[in-house]
Each structure stands twice: as structure tokens, then as C-alpha cells.
Amino acid sequence: MTSKRLFLPLVIVAIALIGLTFSTSGGRADSRKEVTFSKDVAPIFYKDCAQCHRPDDIAPMSLMSYKEARPWARSIKEKVLAREMPPWDADPNYGEFSNVHRLSQEEIDTVVAWVDQGAKEGNPKNMPPVPDFVKGWEIGKPDVILSMQEEYTVEVGAPDNYINFTIPTNFKEDKWVQAAEIHPGNKTVVHHVIAFIVTPEMKAKMKEAERQGQTRRRGEGRSIFYRDGTLSRVTMDAPVVDDGCGEADGGRARQGRGEGADGLGALLAGYAPGKGVDVWPEGMAKKVPAGSDIVFQIHYSNVFNGVATKPVKDRTSLALVFAKEVPDKAIMTFAVANHSFKIPAGVENHKVTACQTMKWDVEVIDYMPHMHLRGKDMRYDVIYPDGRKETLLWVPDFNFNWQTMYNLKKPVKIPKGTKIIVTAHFDNSKKNKYNPDPTKDIRWGDPTYDEMMIGWMD
């Protein structure tokens, strides 16, 4: 399919790991032959780390040379031993995935031995060839490139913003997209991008929805959502539904397949650290009807990759490769989500569920769990029409900084009438070092200091 950007991210703080066999004096790692960067470690870094850990990419430092890697040796060892890096958070007991990215035990032992032996450089002549990274678009030559019409400036000290940019496609006929790739104009301030398809019919419905008011829940007199500048958030006094599976709507306050919190159209493609590009199997593609617009919903954050010290400009682009013929199967992005939960202040393990019952026979080809900084874990379960239960995916240690797309080796067939259950837990306590404020109750919202609960699937 495609290479995935599932490599070492954000190695910043070293964690003290005590009592691990490979790091003790006289242990297995120290008993190996001499290990050097040039001969033994650089090949591992080039294969598994360098696509992000290189100049001008999302990682905070490059690992392309001994000089660049040596100061980080101890931290690298500890992260590798803890299997925090390369990031792959799915439990191996559930699902078989084509893009699994883990170091082998032998590779872990090699990195540990290199550090324990003094992180030696070795003979520079033994260095492997520098990786030939794709310059330009990973999906190949695009059939069309859609870009923001103007640059957007993120000022110093600007708060989190979600900005929607509408780009007309001017397509005169329906297009079937086989591959899509989003290029942020500036990765230091773009946390993520979602590209939505807004068809002419959707435009008309959105205008009518604006005329009638925002989305309401269960016949209420007003929306549970409100606007906070550019951000969409749920009101603190909205009815609380933590167990979406106990509700007729499964926890959703907005209806539709793959739509965003603002009621935008079907999801076409996305960018987030760790996600990779979208390339779908032969015979499958996403439809962009004639006359559609593409809306880029961009999350700008001034502190995502270090605090900005000067204004930063962004102009994000989307490249598309069209299928050569009409596909056998149409791909849709489906969101099993709960919009109405409330996480109490100080609670360490708050449970939230969302459910959807499939109205069609489908084949699932990938999963992408999404939460924010309080998200702990997420699990996808199904109950088939015959009563049989199965766990499709369990991510026991969710990482907001690395939004993994889990691509299945083989599609999972989900017959009509199957109930999909997504279960998540949130840590809003002081124990969560990433928690923006454990003293506050938390509702759904765009900004990272609010929360989300979405089980994405294609």
C-alpha cells in the first residue's frame, strides 16, 4: 500500500527504568560483541526512526548521524526498552495489521548494548547508505493538488484554533479517489488536518441547518454545542450521557457518516503525527461528487512542537490520485462517537461508551482511535447478529501525540445488524502528567484542553 509514518516521535524526557534485565551490568546486552553506531545502530535508525527523526520533520531532533544521535543515547535506550518507540500501541492479541511497526527483540538488544558499551561511533566507513526519502508526494504524481487560497498566519501566543478553509474542486464529473495525501505548510504549528467532502446537496442542508439553529439532542430546545471563537464545544450544562450504548443514538449528538463536530461532510483524508498517507486497496476508492467543495479543518497549536517565538505562516495542500476506473467498492469513513459525556474533575478512570448498529453489510479496512490529553485507552468490540462477540482492536495506552492508523491485513466483514461498541477511559486526575487542569469537569470540544471520543473506521 504505502509507507507509514510510524517512527520515533518526540523523544524529550528520559524516564528512569530500574531492574530491567538488559540494562544491568553483566546482563545479556553487555555480553554481546562490540556494538557501534556506524555498523549496528545506524541501520536500525535509518529503517525505523529517520523518516521523522531527520532535519525539518516533526521529531525534535535528527538521528541521521552519530553526532546528532549521541547526546540522546540514554533516552533512546530507555524509550526503546519500554517499547514506547517506535510507537505502536495496539495489543497484539487483537487484529492482524499490515503496518505493525515494532522493533524486534534483537534490535532492542542491539540499541541497549550500544548505549551500555558507551555509545561508540565505530568506523564511519561502516555507515549504511543514507535513506532516499521521497521528495514531494509519497502517493506518486497527483492528478490534482488542492491548496488553501491564501497563507494563514499563526501569531506568537495565539491560542488553539480550529480554522475551516473551503477549496472548490470545480470537478465537472464525479471523481473516485484511490490515494490522498495532505501536506501541512508548516508542521510546527499544524497539529492535524481533516479534509471533508461537502457535496452540493450537503451545502444546501447546511444552509437549512443554519437557518433552523445548531444540532439538538433528543428534542431539546437548543444545541448542546456552542462556538468559542473558532472552536466548537459542548455546553457544560448539556445532558450527560457517559454510556452512549444505553441511548437510541449511541451517544452521537450529530448524525451522518464520517462528519465532524461541526456537521461537515464525509471525511476524505487526514493528517496527524503518526497517521501516514491514505492509499486504499485496488478496487476500493472514495467518491467526490461533481461540484463538491473540500473543507480543510486545521487545528493550529502554538505549542505543539515548541513555543513559537515569531509569527508562523501555513498554506496546507491536498494531493489526490484518481482510480483508473469506477471501483467495485466505495469507501466511507465511519465515526462511532459520543458527544455528550462529562468527565468529572479529579477522576482517574472515567468510562465512556459509544455504539452504532450497522445498516449495511460492510468490510472494515482500518481503525483510528481518537481522544485528547486525558485519553487512556480505547477498545473496539462487536456483537454480531447471531450474538457472537469479538474484540477487534484494543489500544491499552493511547498516545495523543501519535495518532496511529491501524491498517488491517485483511478486511473484517461486518454484516448488517452488527452492533459496534467503542469503550474509552479517561484520566482527569493529578496523576496524569499531561492533564491541563484536573480541577475542572470536562466536556467534548475541539481544543486539546477539552476532550473527544471517536472510534474512526474506514
Side-chain angles (χ1 to χ4, degrees):
M1 291 174 57
T2 183
S3 60
K4 293 291 181 179
R5 308 182 63 123
L6 301 171
F7 304 92
L8 300 174
L10 308 178
V11 181
I12 300 175
V13 181
I15 301 173
L17 299 175
I18 301 173
L20 290 169
T21 303
F22 302 118
S23 62
T24 57
S25 177
R28 178 174 162 189
D30 287 341
S31 64
R32 291 175 55 99
K33 63 180 181 180
E34 182 183 56
V35 177
T36 66
F37 180 87
S38 300
K39 184 177 180 181
D40 305 291
V41 175
I44 298 173
F45 285 180
Y46 284 4
K47 177 174 69 75
D48 294 303
C49 316
Q51 188 162 348
C52 290
H53 283 269
R54 53 178 169 151
D56 302 320
D57 216 281
I58 63 173
M61 78 290 196
S62 173
L63 298 178
M64 295 294 290
S65 70
Y66 175 76
K67 182 179 180 180
E68 292 168 319
R70 178 61 182 85
W72 299 92
R74 186 177 298 276
S75 181
I76 291 170
K77 168 191 165 182
E78 291 164 351
K79 293 290 186 179
V80 165
L81 269 175
R83 293 188 181 272
E84 294 181 30
M85 301 188 186
W88 183 263
D89 299 320
D91 187 301
N93 294 306
Y94 306 104
E96 295 185 5
F97 302 99
S98 62
N99 61 326
V100 174
H101 196 79
R102 294 190 182 97
L103 294 184
S104 68
Q105 189 59 57
E106 182 179 0
E107 290 171 328
I108 292 173
D109 293 346
T110 298
V111 173
V112 170
W114 173 63
V115 178
D116 287 351
Q117 293 176 13
K120 301 172 184 176
E121 179 179 13
N123 188 342
K125 292 182 179 180
N126 291 330
M127 285 286 290
V130 175
D132 184 17
F133 293 111
V134 173
K135 294 179 176 64
W137 302 100
E138 292 184 40
I139 59 175
K141 184 179 179 180
D143 290 307
V144 66
I145 299 174
L146 303 172
S147 302
M148 292 162 48
Q149 297 179 16
E150 297 179 354
E151 289 184 326
Y152 179 79
T153 301
V154 179
E155 300 291 347
V156 175
D160 273 22
N161 273 322
Y162 274 61
I163 310 294
N164 293 334
F165 301 91
T166 299
I167 298 95
T169 63
N170 297 316
F171 292 161
K172 304 302 182 183
E173 58 185 7
D174 296 346
K175 299 291 187 181
W176 288 93
V177 177
Q178 187 75 55
E181 181 176 353
I182 295 175
H183 275 193
N186 195 310
K187 294 179 180 179
T188 64
V189 291
V190 175
H191 178 263
H192 72 260
V193 184
I194 303 177
F196 293 98
I197 305 167
V198 182
T199 67
E201 292 78 14
M202 289 176 181
K203 296 177 196 177
K205 288 181 179 180
M206 290 166 67
K207 288 182 179 179
E208 178 64 17
E210 290 176 2
R211 188 182 68 81
Q212 294 184 356
Q214 292 286 329
T215 301
R216 296 170 173 80
R217 182 182 181 85
R218 297 190 302 274
E220 293 168 359
R222 63 182 179 85
S223 170
I224 70 169
F225 294 92
Y226 72 100
R227 302 299 302 185
D228 182 4
T230 64
L231 307 173
S232 179
R233 307 176 70 187
V234 165
T235 59
M236 194 57 66
D237 62 349
V240 177
V241 179
D242 288 330
D243 182 14
C245 294
E247 299 290 312
D249 58 14
R252 292 181 65 93
R254 295 186 184 276
Q255 301 304 315
R257 302 190 298 274
E259 62 185 23
D262 289 323
L264 295 173
L267 192 152
L268 174 59
Y271 162 84
K275 177 187 171 296
V277 300
D278 292 294
V279 178
W280 295 291
E282 291 295 328
M284 301 182 185
K286 285 191 174 182
K287 183 179 180 180
V288 181
S292 295
D293 293 339
I294 303 298
V295 173
F296 293 173
Q297 185 182 78
I298 304 182
H299 176 191
Y300 289 109
S301 175
N302 232 330
V303 296
F304 168 56
N305 204 8
V307 178
T309 57
K310 60 181 180 180
V312 176
K313 295 184 180 297
D314 170 67
R315 190 181 184 190
T316 291
S317 299
L318 166 69
L320 303 177
V321 172
F322 300 138
K324 294 181 174 59
E325 55 187 32
V326 176
D328 298 325
K329 298 174 183 178
I331 296 175
M332 70 175 184
T333 299
F334 192 77
V336 181
N338 185 330
H339 297 110
S340 303
F341 61 86
K342 185 177 183 178
I343 309 172
V347 172
E348 184 178 345
N349 199 44
H350 187 71
K351 181 179 177 181
V352 178
T353 66
C355 284
Q356 291 285 295
T357 299
M358 295 307 299
K359 298 179 181 179
W360 319 271
D361 294 328
V362 302
E363 295 179 3
V364 179
I365 59 175
D366 58 51
Y367 316 109
M368 186 175 175
H370 181 69
M371 298 180 283
H372 288 175
L373 297 172
R374 297 169 180 85
K376 290 180 64 177
D377 61 73
M378 185 175 284
R379 192 178 72 244
Y380 291 53
D381 297 298
V382 291
I383 302 177
Y384 295 105
D386 62 5
R388 182 169 54 95
K389 299 180 180 179
E390 183 181 5
T391 297
L392 302 179
L393 173 75
W394 183 37
V395 177
D397 188 15
F398 177 80
N399 183 354
F400 174 71
N401 287 319
W402 202 245
Q403 304 278 325
T404 304
M405 176 80 81
Y406 298 95
N407 299 307
L408 286 157
K409 282 186 178 180
K410 296 180 180 180
V412 173
K413 293 186 177 181
I414 305 293
K416 178 182 178 181
T418 299
K419 187 176 185 178
I420 301 175
I421 305 167
V422 174
T423 304
H425 292 88
F426 297 88
D427 185 354
N428 196 22
S429 73
K430 294 180 180 178
K431 293 181 180 180
N432 179 2
K433 64 181 180 180
Y434 302 109
N435 193 347
D437 190 345
T439 68
K440 292 183 178 179
D441 296 344
I442 299 300
R443 303 301 304 253
W444 172 287
D446 285 340
T448 53
Y449 47 79
D450 287 345
E451 268 301 337
M452 287 189 178
M453 190 275 196
I454 309 175
W456 293 108
M457 295 183 290
D458 277 331

